[in-house]
Amino acid sequence: MLPSTIILGSSGTGKSSSIRGLPPEETIILNTEQKALPFRGSAKFKGNILVPDRKTFFEKLEKVINSKKVKYVVIESMTSAFEQFEYHNGMAFSGYDSWKGYNDDISKMWRMIKTCTDKYFFLISIDQIIDSPTGVAERYAAVQGKRWLKQIEKEAVNVLVSTTKTDASTGKIEYMFITNKCQGYENTPSKSPPEMFPLEMPNNLKDAIYYMEIYLNGEEEDKNTLQENKKTKSN
């Protein structure tokens, strides 16, 4: 079974542009945002499917899961998919039944993903700031209600936190993923299996797949590959 990955972060941190490195001919994007992909060459992604509502989402997800030609599935975004679930159940039911339907739809989505053993899933999500009992602000995937609050992340193998930093020497903004908790990111749900990824890496899903396949196949990393990556490993 291949790992599922949540790409979590604030708006403008490069979550959607991380799709750019995926092989267009093997990639399906369930575009629940229904907007253009924000990177050069996005027209190559012929599998960019606009998903306007909950019914279409589950129909397309089932079709993708059963496809033999697709290896990479992007839900762009999980946040707007949840909004579609909320809208549908709010229109179909009221009160408790509405929230039950919403929570059940999230469970259904994860069940479908977990039955698929031959595809990489990438679920893009806006984060939300939550005050903890200790008063420390924590960041988790945006979700309505309490059932799935701070619980979405446990369903995925990886949570890569998308962020930016400024190069002190050039002033250039760098877009990157944080792959595990570290200094400055203690209050995020970033996680991945030990030694799967560098602690920091470029926000390109091509690189993420490279590291996952090296890890899953039990191979040693080629130090001459991906020279742009910071090779800092988590202690």
Side-chain angles (χ1 to χ4, degrees):
M1 186 172 184
L2 299 177
S4 55
T5 302
I6 293 174
I7 308 299
L8 180 69
S10 303
S11 179
T13 56
K15 298 184 303 300
S16 298
S17 64
S18 69
I19 300 169
R20 67 192 182 279
L22 293 177
E25 67 281 359
E26 297 181 283
T27 301
I28 290 293
I29 302 167
L30 299 183
N31 191 342
T32 59
E33 295 281 351
Q34 300 185 78
K35 62 184 182 183
L37 300 175
F39 52 85
R40 185 185 297 272
S42 61
K44 295 178 182 178
F45 286 83
K46 304 302 182 183
N48 179 23
I49 302 171
L50 299 183
V51 179
D53 51 45
R54 170 195 175 274
K55 180 176 182 290
T56 305
F57 175 83
F58 283 116
E59 288 176 350
K60 298 298 184 183
L61 181 58
E62 182 176 9
K63 185 175 181 179
V64 166
I65 286 172
N66 293 325
S67 172
K68 301 300 183 183
K69 298 180 180 179
V70 177
K71 187 172 182 181
Y72 308 103
V73 182
V74 180
I75 297 179
E76 166 53 333
S77 67
M78 183 170 67
T79 307
S80 57
F82 290 174
E83 290 171 352
Q84 290 176 356
F85 300 169
E86 181 184 13
Y87 177 79
H88 168 84
N89 287 287
M91 293 295 291
F93 308 106
S94 61
Y96 172 81
D97 289 336
S98 175
W99 284 111
K100 182 179 184 303
Y102 172 78
N103 294 329
D104 287 349
D105 278 347
I106 296 177
S107 296
K108 178 180 179 180
M109 181 194 77
W110 281 114
R111 283 197 308 272
M112 292 176 71
I113 290 172
K114 290 179 180 181
T115 62
C116 185
T117 60
D118 63 345
K119 296 172 178 48
Y120 288 99
F121 278 84
F122 298 98
L123 301 96
I124 296 175
S125 177
I126 290 285
D127 60 2
Q128 65 183 99
I129 307 300
I130 301 171
D131 289 330
S132 70
T134 61
V136 177
E138 299 175 324
R139 296 167 59 186
Y140 288 91
V143 65
Q144 297 299 318
K146 296 180 178 180
R147 163 64 182 86
W148 285 99
L149 186 65
K150 300 169 65 172
Q151 299 298 310
I152 295 293
E153 292 78 7
K154 71 180 179 61
E155 302 295 329
V157 174
N158 304 314
V159 178
L160 307 184
V161 173
S162 185
T163 189
T164 62
K165 69 177 183 180
T166 303
D167 187 300
S169 61
T170 65
K172 183 179 179 180
I173 295 177
E174 298 180 356
Y175 294 85
M176 55 192 288
F177 289 145
I178 303 297
T179 66
N180 261 308
K181 291 183 185 296
C182 60
Q183 186 176 3
Y185 297 92
E186 299 90 345
N187 300 318
T188 71
S190 53
K191 66 172 184 176
S192 58
E195 300 182 351
M196 178 180 279
F197 301 113
L199 183 58
E200 298 178 359
M201 59 181 289
N203 73 326
N204 192 323
L205 294 183
K206 178 181 179 180
D207 295 357
I209 291 166
Y210 165 80
Y211 283 116
M212 283 191 275
E213 292 188 343
I214 289 291
Y215 183 89
L216 293 172
N217 292 325
E219 301 171 1
E220 292 296 324
E221 181 185 336
D222 179 358
K223 298 300 182 180
N224 295 318
T225 303
L226 302 176
Q227 289 295 325
E228 74 277 14
N229 278 9
K230 296 183 181 298
K231 299 302 182 181
T232 305
K233 298 290 183 179
S234 173
N235 294 327

